[in-house]
């Protein structure tokens, strides 16, 4: 197993700390650049992401390039030991381009072309947009790829959205021809005989539209896959001229939290580094632990995209955002906690949006390191500088990874399909919350988790959990079967193995390709109204030894065992006494099936037992209060334990391990330790046989 990776840039020994920097907004005030450099050093910031939306400043008129301002910024950085992720500016474009070449503007699903404005408002398949992007990227590469301050490329900004223009319609048809070969095969895969939707010529196929086709699930699914493929292809197109000039300079593209519009797994091969933008809505009305679990899940997802390689937190706010319903300030301690939260899950950076507050436009009141007051004597600046100091103290952790023995399967295909399906719960199938419901149990137990796709390698894991795997291909089913046969533990839930990759139902009994592994047949599923429920009653004498009963809601599946042992049954309704939780011994392994959506504390109790039986290590062998998690990074010799308190209360934790050294004061911590409100501790221990 890999336990550490080379530093993201050989020029940096520890963590990256910095922000999006937009000096193009301050070209008329050259003194700002000088002051910024002084402040960056003061805040212990060493890396900036520069020029993300600077296309107009770089090419004010077509073919006329102005690099002087950027030369000055990068030169001053180099003289001061500050590094840059240099951006390609394709996230927004100059007005001259939209006016001269309207084809670059996006067409929405209603087939209306957008006007110039906003950002991400362009067609990834437009030949003109691609050519203009190639030109500006080539110019940037020629001029800056070997600049001493530049440590990598920041490709565009938060790719997203789709376009329905004629170029895109044609590209979609070509994509479909490649996928299906013949129209007959496409018609079968999409089940187009339904409502007489059969196509007799490729030219009849259009993208889904609110005033056109929306009812063919395979069609909707393929459109989403196509949008991902176009965006990946555009990203690859952006990267080509950069790599031509300097192949060893890493490229990254900043992503958004579990963004529904793009299957991010498909980007992993063309990016050297995964990076993402995290904006937790701390201190809103939700339980802090729930917000933290969602962001933990995301950190794990992004780390898992490239096999556990450290990722970059490319944006976060040093204080508040300005797009939430209520813009809450970060409470004392929260900046440190929230930033180390990312580090705990494998980030080798803490970067912000943005360095200096803009003076005008929609983000002028968004949190930034340097406020409009212009100096360092602010609470936010002190928080940032404090974190800078802490990152220096824990610098040796950079490059280490998270050793997870457990993985949760979360496929974009499945997510798209299960939400598009009509029935059994059209008020919302709650796919994402369901995944987090399972994830949070591991988070509370302090068990590291990878988030993987069903096509990924399952062999590194002891336990695989696949919440609501509605779309399950024969291939994925076979992979899971082999994993369990070889001794792995697998957990599946209700509403799994229903359809294949084209959203066609599996014939011959659900859960289709998982039926044999799970040893059950699911005959029907009952949707429950809000307020309705059932109760899952455990059989205390079962092999899992789980006792008591747990409330369930939303969905109850009526299953038959086909070799599985019954661990719990329903208490109520006409299906009282029928199995609600089962386990099947299959080959060397075990496969659990949860037939209904249970409420907490089911998941923590259940997974607590499952991990014990599967021989999975917890980061700390101690009870963690609800809202407190322990996360782990490790290299060849050491383990780094992050104790994070998201419970809103001071907490006492019993540390039974006597090898833990606090990295901020170098003192040993053991026995009863106190974690203050929003408190975090970074503890180091030597590996037992390291
Ligand atoms: C996104 C963008 C940034 C900025 C922030 C504000 O993450 O990438 O440019 O708009 O949101 O929160
Ligand atoms: Zn288009």
């Amino acid at each position: 197993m890999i336990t550490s990776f080379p530093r993201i840039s050989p020029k940096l020994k520890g963590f990256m700390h910095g922000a999006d920097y937009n000096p193009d907004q301050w070209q008329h005030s050259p003194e700002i650049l000088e002051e910024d450099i002084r402040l960056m050093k003061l805040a212990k910031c060493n890396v900036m992401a520069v020029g993300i939306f600077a296309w107009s400043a770089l090419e004010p008129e077509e073919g006329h390039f102005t690099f002087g301002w950027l030369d000055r910024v990068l030169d001053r950085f180099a003289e001061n030991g500050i590094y840059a992720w240099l951006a390609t500016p394709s996230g927004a474009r100059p007005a001259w381009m939209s006016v001269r070449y309207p084809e670059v503007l996006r067409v929405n699903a209603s087939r209306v072309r957008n006007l110039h404005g906003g950002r991400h408002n362009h067609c990834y398949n437009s030949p003109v947009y691609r050519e203009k992007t190639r030109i500006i990227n080539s110019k940037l590469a020629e001029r800056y790829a070997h600049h001493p301050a530049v440590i990598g490329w920041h490709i565009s900004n938060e790719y997203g959205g789709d376009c329905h223009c004629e170029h895109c319609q044609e590209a979609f048809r070509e994509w479909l021809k490649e996928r299906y070969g013949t129209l007959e095969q496409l018609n079968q895969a999409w089940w187009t005989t339904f409502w007489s939707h059969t196509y007799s010529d490729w030219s009849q196929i259009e993208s889904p539209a609110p005033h056109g086709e929306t009812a063919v699930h395979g069609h909707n699914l393929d459109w989403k896959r196509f949008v991902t493929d176009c965006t990946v292809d555009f990203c690859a197109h952006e990267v080509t001229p950069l790599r031509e000039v300097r192949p060893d300079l890493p490229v990254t593209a900043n992503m958004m939290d579990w963004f529904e519009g793009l299957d991010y797994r498909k980007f992993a091969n063309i990016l050297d580094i995964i990076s993402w933008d995290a904006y937790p809505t701390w201190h809103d009305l939700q339980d802090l632990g729930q917000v933290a679990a969602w962001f933990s899940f995301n950190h794990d997802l992004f780390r898992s995209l490239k096999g556990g390689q450290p990722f970059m937190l490319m944006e976060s706010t040093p204080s508040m955002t300005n797009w939430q319903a209520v813009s809450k300030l970060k409470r004392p301690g929260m900046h440190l906690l929230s930033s180390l939260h990312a580090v705990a899950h494998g980030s080798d950076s803490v970067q912000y949006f943005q360095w200096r507050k803009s003076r005008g436009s929609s983000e002028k009141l968004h949190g930034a390191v340097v406020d409009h007051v212009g100096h360092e004597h602010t609470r936010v600046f002190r928080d940032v500088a404090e974190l800078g100091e802490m990152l220096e103290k824990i610098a040796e952790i950079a490059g280490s990874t998270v050793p997870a023995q457990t993985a949760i399967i979360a496929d974009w295909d499945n997510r798209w399909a299960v939400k598009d399906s009509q029935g059994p719960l059209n008020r919302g199938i709650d796919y994402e919350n369901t995944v987090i419901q399972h994830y949070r149990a591991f988070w509370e137990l302090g068990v590291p988790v990878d988030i993987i796709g069903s096509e990924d390698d399952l062999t590194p894991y002891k336990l695989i959990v696949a919440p609501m795997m509605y779309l399950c291909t024969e291939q994925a089913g076979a992979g899971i079967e082999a994993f369990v046969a070889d001794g792995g533990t697998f957990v599946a839930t209700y509403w799994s193995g229903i359809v294949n990759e084209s959203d066609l139902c599996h014939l011959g009994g659900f859960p289709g390709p998982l039926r044999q592994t799970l040893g059950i047949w699911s005959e029907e599923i009952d949707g429950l109204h809000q307020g309705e429920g059932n109760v899952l009653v455990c059989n205390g004498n079962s092999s899992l030894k789980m006792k008591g009963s747990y409330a369930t809601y939303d969905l109850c599946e009526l299953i038959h065992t086909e070799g599985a042992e019954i661990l719990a049954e329903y208490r109520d309704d006409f299906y009282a006494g029928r199995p609600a939780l089962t386990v099947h011994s299959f080959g060397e392994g075990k496969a659990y099936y949860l037939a209904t959506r249970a409420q907490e504390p089911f998941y923590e109790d259940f997974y607590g037992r499952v991990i014990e039986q599967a021989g999975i290590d917890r980061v700390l062998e101690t009870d963690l209060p609800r809202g407190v998690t322990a996360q782990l990074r490790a290299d060849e010799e050491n383990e780094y334990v992050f104790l994070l308190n998201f419970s809103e209360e001071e907490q006492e934790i019993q540390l039974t391990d006597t090898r833990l050294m606090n990295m901020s004061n170098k003192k040993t911590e053991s026995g009863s330790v106190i974690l203050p409100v929003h408190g975090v501790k970074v503890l180091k221990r030597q590996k037992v046989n390291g």
Side-chain angles (χ1 to χ4, degrees):
M1 183 198 240
I2 305 170
T3 46
S4 65
F5 290 84
R7 295 288 186 276
I8 289 175
S9 167
K11 292 187 175 171
L12 287 155
K13 297 284 166 271
F15 288 96
M16 288 170 269
H17 185 212
D20 281 13
Y21 186 43
N22 298 306
D24 40 311
Q25 294 181 15
W26 299 95
Q27 288 180 71
H28 52 281
S29 327
E31 70 287 357
I32 292 278
L33 173 61
E34 283 314 306
E35 179 61 355
D36 280 336
I37 291 201
R38 181 185 76 83
L39 293 168
M40 285 170 192
K41 289 165 138 180
L42 210 56
K44 297 192 180 295
C45 284
N46 54 2
V47 174
M48 297 287 143
V50 185
I52 295 173
F53 293 109
W55 203 333
S56 299
L58 294 168
E59 193 181 357
E61 290 166 47
E62 186 170 13
H64 171 69
F65 299 93
T66 45
F67 292 117
W69 65 272
L70 187 52
D71 291 350
R72 269 190 302 284
V73 171
L74 294 175
D75 291 350
R76 291 297 288 138
F77 276 9
E79 288 156 22
N80 286 279
I82 296 165
Y83 297 96
W85 286 87
L86 186 55
T88 67
S90 70
R93 93 212 70 76
W96 57 255
M97 201 192 299
S98 308
V99 171
R100 194 162 310 150
Y101 309 103
E103 71 156 70
V104 302
L105 292 165
R106 232 169 238 193
V107 171
N108 68 24
S110 305
R111 311 310 193 245
V112 176
R113 196 178 288 281
N114 290 352
L115 300 180
H116 180 78
R119 50 182 175 176
H120 311 294
N121 177 10
H122 35 262
C123 169
Y124 295 129
N125 289 314
S126 147
V128 171
Y129 198 60
R130 290 171 81 103
E131 178 58 5
K132 291 294 170 201
T133 306
R134 190 194 61 76
I135 293 170
I136 188 73
N137 289 10
S138 305
K139 296 263 177 207
L140 287 167
E142 281 156 23
R143 199 171 182 97
Y144 300 113
H146 294 279
H147 193 285
V150 175
I151 55 170
W153 295 107
H154 179 295
I155 309 299
S156 198
N157 192 71
E158 295 185 342
Y159 284 124
D162 60 3
C163 173
H164 298 255
C165 77
E166 265 316 312
H167 287 299
C168 291
Q169 301 296 347
E170 207 34 60
F172 184 42
R173 288 174 203 127
E174 289 307 313
W175 186 93
L176 291 169
K177 279 182 197 161
E178 199 158 305
R179 185 173 173 88
Y180 294 106
T182 67
L183 206 49
E184 195 190 332
Q185 267 177 320
L186 175 139
N187 277 315
Q188 273 178 24
W190 286 4
W191 207 253
T192 51
T193 39
F194 170 78
W195 288 353
S196 211
H197 287 202
T198 306
Y199 295 104
S200 57
D201 193 280
W202 292 99
S203 64
Q204 296 156 1
I205 303 174
E206 286 265 343
S207 57
H211 54 315
E213 189 66 272
T214 56
V216 179
H217 290 165
H219 176 214
N220 294 341
L221 199 51
D222 278 341
W223 173 253
K224 293 189 168 102
R225 291 177 177 136
F226 164 77
V227 170
T228 288
D229 284 359
C230 293
T231 315
V232 170
D233 190 62
F234 185 80
C235 179
H237 169 80
E238 286 218 54
V239 167
T240 303
L242 310 175
R243 289 220 173 102
E244 266 165 20
V245 177
R246 198 176 154 190
D248 65 313
L249 207 56
V251 302
T252 189
N254 55 329
M255 300 176 172
M256 295 171 273
D257 56 340
W258 204 9
F259 180 59
E260 192 164 353
L262 294 171
D263 182 345
Y264 279 151
R265 287 206 176 90
K266 301 251 165 79
F267 287 79
N269 285 339
I270 50 169
L271 301 175
D272 299 298
I273 305 296
I274 299 296
S275 65
W276 83 285
D277 303 340
Y279 290 97
T281 52
W282 303 126
H283 319 301
D284 64 4
L285 297 176
Q286 266 186 96
D287 147 35
L288 209 58
Q290 195 58 23
V291 178
W294 168 260
F295 282 88
S296 285
F297 169 87
N298 275 278
H299 291 313
D300 289 342
L301 168 70
F302 288 109
R303 184 193 66 248
S304 305
L305 288 189
K306 276 184 93 71
Q309 177 187 305
F311 61 92
M312 285 183 69
L313 177 64
M314 188 57 93
E315 291 179 24
S316 61
T317 177
S319 56
M320 57 177 205
T321 60
N322 72 334
W323 44 255
Q324 281 173 243
V326 175
S327 304
K328 289 295 285 185
L329 296 176
K330 276 189 190 166
R331 275 33 213 167
M334 190 38 107
H335 184 62
L336 192 71
L337 176 64
S338 174
S339 303
L340 293 180
H341 182 209
V343 173
H345 287 273
S347 178
D348 272 5
S349 74
V350 176
Q351 301 285 126
Y352 312 113
F353 176 84
Q354 60 178 331
W355 172 256
R356 181 181 279 275
K357 276 189 184 172
S358 303
R359 189 155 185 209
S361 296
S362 69
E363 289 183 332
K364 64 184 183 294
L365 300 179
H366 190 288
V369 180
V370 181
D371 213 325
H372 295 125
V373 71
H375 59 57
E376 67 270 35
H377 308 293
T378 62
R379 188 179 74 102
V380 169
F381 193 93
R382 280 192 295 275
D383 273 358
V384 168
E386 183 198 358
L387 176 75
E389 243 164 71
M390 183 63 179
L391 291 174
E392 284 182 359
K393 287 186 186 160
I394 62 169
E396 65 181 76
I397 299 177
S400 64
T401 188
V402 175
Q405 301 167 319
T406 303
I408 292 182
I409 292 181
D411 285 327
W412 265 266
D413 272 14
N414 176 43
R415 180 187 189 188
W416 293 330
V418 75
K419 292 171 82 168
D420 200 24
S421 166
Q422 279 161 275
L425 209 60
N426 293 339
R427 66 161 190 262
I429 197 84
D430 240 6
Y431 175 69
E432 293 83 359
N433 285 332
T434 303
V435 173
I436 298 299
Q437 200 170 38
H438 288 257
Y439 176 84
R440 183 156 183 191
F442 296 99
W443 187 88
E444 293 285 350
L445 289 161
V447 170
V449 176
D450 281 349
I451 311 301
I452 62 167
S454 57
E455 289 170 14
D456 288 339
D457 181 13
L458 307 181
T459 56
Y461 305 103
K462 290 184 178 172
L463 170 63
I464 306 272
V465 179
M468 264 207 299
M469 198 179 183
Y470 162 84
L471 186 157
C472 179
T473 64
E474 293 291 346
Q475 198 193 344
I480 289 166
E481 186 170 311
F483 168 78
V484 178
D486 285 351
T489 301
F490 175 62
V491 180
T493 74
Y494 55 89
W495 212 225
S496 291
I498 308 296
V499 300
N500 71 4
E501 60 277 14
S502 303
D503 213 322
L504 293 177
C505 289
H506 288 294
L507 301 179
F510 298 144
L514 298 171
R515 181 172 173 185
Q516 188 169 310
T517 311
L518 291 159
I520 58 120
W521 166 44
S522 167
E523 187 183 344
E524 291 179 277
I525 187 162
D526 193 19
L528 273 59
H529 288 291
Q530 266 158 347
E532 284 183 341
N534 206 313
V535 176
L536 172 156
V537 183
C538 294
N539 169 5
N541 299 320
S542 77
S543 61
L544 193 62
K545 298 192 179 59
M546 194 160 159
K547 296 191 175 66
S549 33
Y550 298 88
T552 80
Y553 64 111
D554 280 355
L555 294 164
C556 294
E557 229 171 42
L558 277 52
I559 66 170
H560 303 266
T561 55
E562 293 177 338
E565 174 194 348
I566 299 172
L567 302 172
E569 47 190 51
Y570 290 110
R571 192 192 68 186
D572 300 336
D573 218 321
F574 74 92
Y575 35 92
R578 296 201 39 186
L581 178 67
T582 61
V583 63
H584 188 217
S585 294
F586 182 81
E588 304 289 307
K590 283 182 174 176
Y592 292 87
Y593 193 77
L594 173 63
T596 176
R597 187 172 280 172
Q599 270 173 12
E600 277 304 0
F602 172 81
Y603 297 94
E604 245 186 276
D605 290 354
F606 172 65
Y607 284 116
R609 282 168 195 279
V610 170
I611 60 166
E612 220 177 280
Q613 295 211 349
I616 287 175
D617 305 320
R618 295 174 61 187
V619 174
L620 291 171
E621 289 304 330
T622 188
D623 281 340
L624 296 171
R626 193 159 170 82
V628 172
T629 188
Q631 298 294 329
L632 185 71
R633 289 184 72 163
D635 57 26
E636 284 76 7
E637 282 158 28
N638 298 300
E639 290 186 333
Y640 304 96
V641 175
F642 291 74
L643 253 182
L644 306 139
N645 182 5
F646 291 101
S647 74
E648 300 275 27
E649 281 165 40
E650 177 182 289
Q651 297 289 359
E652 189 180 341
I653 290 134
Q654 295 298 328
L655 295 178
T656 48
D657 196 333
T658 51
R659 299 169 295 153
L660 296 164
M661 195 261 294
N662 188 323
M663 292 185 79
S664 35
N665 58 19
K666 304 244 182 332
K667 292 201 176 124
T668 303
E669 302 238 13
S670 70
S672 147
V673 302
I674 299 292
L675 264 185
V677 179
H678 307 149
V680 51
K681 282 181 194 286
V682 187
L683 308 164
K684 175 179 174 178
R685 70 186 172 207
Q686 230 168 36
K687 276 190 175 166
V688 177
N689 45 10

